[in-house]
Amino acid sequence: MSYSDKQYGNGDPDCPICGGLGYIRYDVPDDHPAFGEVFDCECREAKLRQSRVEYLRRLGGLAHLADKTFERFNPNGIGLPDKQRDNLRRAYERAAAYAEDPEGLFILTGGYGCGKTHLAAAIAHYRIEQGDKVLFVTAPDLLDHLRSGFGTLNDD
C-alpha cells in the first residue's frame, strides 16, 4: 500500500478544507490569540458529533430503536378511521412539540401497536441530536427492574 492510499488524519479524506488531516490552523498574525493553535476541521467535528450521538444512543438504550424517528413515523396511520387518525396526528404533533421543548411530564397512553414506543424513541433521538443525555426505558422494563429490587429484601 502506498502512502497516498493511507488515511493519515482524523478527518474526511475528501475534505477540501483539511485534505483529511482533520485539523486546521488559521493564518493569523503572531500576536493573535489563535496564532499557532490547531483547531478541529468541520469534517472532524461532524465525525465527532456523529460518534457522540451513536455512543449516547447505545448508552441510553436506544440502539435497537434507531429507526424510530419522527421522520419515519406516519402520523396518518394506515387505514385508520377518522377519529383514530386524528388522535394519532395529535399525538405526533404533541410529541414533536415536547421534543422541541421538553418541560414537564409527557405521558403516552394507548393500546398495543398504536405508536407509543416509536414516538417516545423519536423524542429521545431528537434530544440526543440536540446534545442531551437520554435514558430510554419502557414501562415494563422499568417495572421489572424495580420488582427485582424487592426480591433481595430480607423479612428477618
Side-chain angles (χ1 to χ4, degrees), residues 50-133:
Q50 185 58 36
S51 292
R52 178 176 167 75
V53 164
E54 290 170 11
Y55 171 75
L56 289 173
R57 283 189 177 136
R58 281 192 314 274
L59 189 65
L62 283 161
H64 69 289
L65 298 170
D67 64 329
K68 305 299 185 227
T69 63
F70 286 115
E71 294 78 21
R72 306 265 330 247
F73 190 83
N74 181 355
N76 295 313
I78 298 173
L80 294 176
D82 290 345
K83 183 177 179 183
Q84 284 181 323
R85 186 178 56 248
D86 292 343
N87 286 339
L88 185 62
R89 160 80 49 197
R90 197 168 29 256
Y92 171 82
E93 290 169 356
R94 288 182 179 170
Y98 184 79
E100 286 285 332
D101 185 24
E103 293 295 321
L105 187 62
F106 186 76
I107 299 175
L108 291 164
T109 64
Y112 177 81
C114 69
K116 299 180 302 293
T117 299
H118 191 136
L119 287 175
I123 292 169
H125 285 299
Y126 183 84
R127 294 312 315 163
I128 286 173
E129 294 283 340
Q130 303 311 305
D132 291 347
K133 295 176 183 95

Side-chain angles (χ1 to χ4, degrees), residues 1 28 30 81 84 86-87 111 121 150:
M1 178 171 8
V28 294
D30 58 0
Q84 284 181 323
D86 292 343
N87 286 339
F150 288 110

Side-chain angles (χ1 to χ4, degrees), residues 33-63:
F35 179 77
E37 295 287 324
V38 177
F39 299 92
D40 288 331
C41 180
E42 293 173 14
C43 69
R44 178 171 161 69
E45 287 176 355
K47 282 176 71 173
L48 290 172
R49 211 172 13 257
Q50 185 58 36
S51 292
R52 178 176 167 75
V53 164
E54 290 170 11
Y55 171 75
L56 289 173
R57 283 189 177 136
R58 281 192 314 274
L59 189 65
L62 283 161

